[in-house]
Amino acid sequence: LYLLFQGLRQISQRTISTASRRQFENRVPEKQKLFQEDNGIPVHLKGGVMDALLYKVTMGLAVFGTAYVVYELLVASMPKKQK
C-alpha cells in the first residue's frame, strides 16, 4: 500500500512539474474577435464546420428522439388485443 501511494505521488508530481514547463500561445483575443464579429452567424455556429456538424447531429437526435417518444406513447395508448 505504501509503494502504491509513493508511485501515485511521483506520478502527480511529475505531471504537475512537466505541465508548468509548457508554454501555450494565448489565443483568447483571436477567439473574442471571432465570436464578437457581427456577421449574422449565430454564436453557436461561429466555431466553424465542427460546430455546424455538432448542431446538425444534435438536432437530428432531438427530432428522432421526439418522434420515437410519440410513437411509443401511441403504442402504449392502444389496447392490447385479447386472444
Side-chain angles (χ1 to χ4, degrees):
L1 186 63
Y2 177 73
L3 291 176
L4 177 65
F5 179 72
Q6 284 292 97
L8 289 173
R9 195 175 87 198
Q10 286 176 349
I11 289 171
S12 67
Q13 286 175 346
R14 191 177 320 138
T15 54
I16 290 170
S17 64
T18 56
S20 63
R21 280 187 266 166
R22 293 189 193 124
Q23 293 294 322
F24 292 106
E25 179 186 348
N26 184 8
R27 295 178 29 183
V28 172
E30 295 172 23
K31 294 292 183 181
Q32 285 177 335
K33 186 177 178 183
L34 172 73
F35 283 93
Q36 291 176 355
E37 186 177 327
D38 188 16
N39 55 6
I41 299 174
V43 71
H44 60 275
L45 297 177
K46 284 190 177 186
V49 176
M50 262 321 267
D51 281 355
L53 180 66
L54 285 171
Y55 176 75
K56 289 177 183 175
V57 167
T58 303
M59 286 299 112
L61 286 171
V63 169
F64 173 76
T66 303
Y68 184 69
V69 166
V70 169
Y71 168 76
E72 286 295 327
L73 284 172
L74 287 172
V75 168
S77 68
M78 298 293 171
K80 293 184 179 180
K81 293 183 180 179
Q82 298 289 333
K83 285 189 179 183

